[in-house]
Amino acid sequence: MSETPVASREAAFRIALAARALNGLDLRALVGALVDKLQAPLTEAKLATLTVEDLCQLLAGDFAEQGCHVGVDREQLKAAVRLLWGEGIAHDDFPTVEPDDAAPGTIRVAVAANRGENLDGHFGSCDRFLIYRVGPAALRLIEVRSTAAADAADDRNTARAALIGDCQIVCVQSIGGPAAAKVIRAGVHPVKFPAGGPARAALGELQQRLAAPPPWLAQIMGVPAASLARFAGDGDAA
C-alpha cells in the first residue's frame, strides 16, 4: 500500500462523513481533490481551513471532470464543510472503544460497517471496519478504522486488506471473489453474513464456537480442532 495522503483516522472519518453528506461522492476522488487543494498529508488542521467556496470550486473544477456526481445544494455544502471541520459529528455513530487486553485464546475480528455498531457493509464499499477482540468469555470493541485513506490508494481492495491485516477474520455482508483472494493473501479469513445485523450478535455466533472450534477456525487460532480432538489421546499413546 502506498503512503496514505490522510494523516489520521479522525481526518479520514471527517472526509468519509463529508462524502456521505454530498450525496455519496466518490471517496477516492474527494481525497484527491482535497490533496490538490491542501497538499498531503490531510490533517484536521488543514480540513478546518476549508470554506464553502473552496468546496464549490473543488466540485466545479477538476473534481467534476472525474465523473463524480456533483448535484448538491448549498445546504449540503455547508453541512459537508462543518463535518470536515469536525463539527456536528455524531460520535454515537462512531462507537466507543475499549482497551485491547490481548488475552490468550482470543482473536481479532474486523467487521465491515457503515452505521453505528452494525455489520452492514460490503468489503469494498463499507465506511469503516470495527475491530473486535473476541474470546470465549469476552467480546470487546477495541478500534474503529475508517476506510477513507485506503480508498485513496491505487488498489483499494489491497489497501483495505492491509488495513485489517492484523486481524484473523473479517465479517462482511458480501465480498467479491477477487477481493476475497486479496484478503486471504493478507492472512485474513473472510466470513459472510448476508443478512447483516448488530455486529455483536454476529460475533456472538463466532464466540460460541471458540471453545470447540471447527477445523477452519482452529487453524486460524492455532489450536487443535474439536473434530480432531478425540484422536489426540490415541496419537500420544502410540
Side-chain angles (χ1 to χ4, degrees):
M1 178 179 172
S2 59
E3 184 177 353
T4 176
V6 185
S8 67
R9 288 178 181 149
E10 174 64 23
F13 183 53
R14 293 183 190 183
I15 294 168
L17 290 179
R20 186 191 300 169
L22 295 168
N23 288 350
L25 286 173
D26 181 81
L27 198 53
R28 180 177 176 181
L30 178 56
V31 170
L34 291 170
V35 167
D36 287 343
K37 174 69 176 178
L38 302 173
Q39 301 301 310
L42 298 174
T43 64
E44 294 102 301
K46 288 181 180 178
L47 295 177
T49 68
L50 286 168
T51 66
V52 173
E53 287 68 30
D54 290 333
L55 196 52
C56 283
Q57 290 177 10
L58 292 177
L59 298 178
D62 292 338
F63 191 52
E65 294 176 5
Q66 296 178 48
C68 299
H69 178 53
V70 296
V72 295
D73 58 33
R74 194 165 182 83
E75 290 305 311
Q76 287 174 292
L77 290 170
K78 289 180 180 178
V81 167
R82 286 195 294 269
L83 290 169
L84 291 169
W85 290 350
E87 295 181 3
I89 293 179
H91 282 282
D92 57 343
D93 187 49
F94 198 74
T96 301
V97 302
E98 303 176 69
D100 183 5
D101 61 0
T106 62
I107 57 175
R108 292 167 69 97
V109 180
V111 172
N114 290 308
R115 299 288 190 280
E117 200 173 347
N118 295 303
L119 197 174
D120 60 356
H122 183 285
F123 174 80
S125 62
C126 63
D127 289 345
R128 66 190 73 155
F129 288 105
L130 309 176
I131 310 298
Y132 290 86
R133 174 69 65 180
V134 182
L139 178 61
R140 302 160 69 92
L141 175 63
I142 59 174
E143 199 171 349
V144 180
R145 299 176 184 173
S146 169
T147 57
D151 287 349
D154 292 335
D155 186 334
R156 61 190 295 170
N157 283 330
T158 296
R160 281 172 174 253
L163 181 64
I164 58 170
D166 59 344
C167 297
Q168 286 76 49
I169 293 174
V170 59
C171 299
V172 299
Q173 277 196 291
S174 59
I175 184 171
K182 292 175 181 178
V183 169
I184 293 169
R185 196 174 301 125
V188 185
H189 186 94
V191 179
K192 294 182 183 180
F193 289 83
R200 289 179 182 270
L203 293 177
E205 298 178 26
L206 177 63
Q207 188 178 27
Q208 291 174 10
R209 307 182 76 176
L210 291 182
W216 69 270
L217 183 54
Q219 184 177 12
I220 291 171
M221 297 174 66
V223 299
S227 59
L228 302 178
R230 67 179 184 274
F231 297 110
D234 295 338
D236 292 341

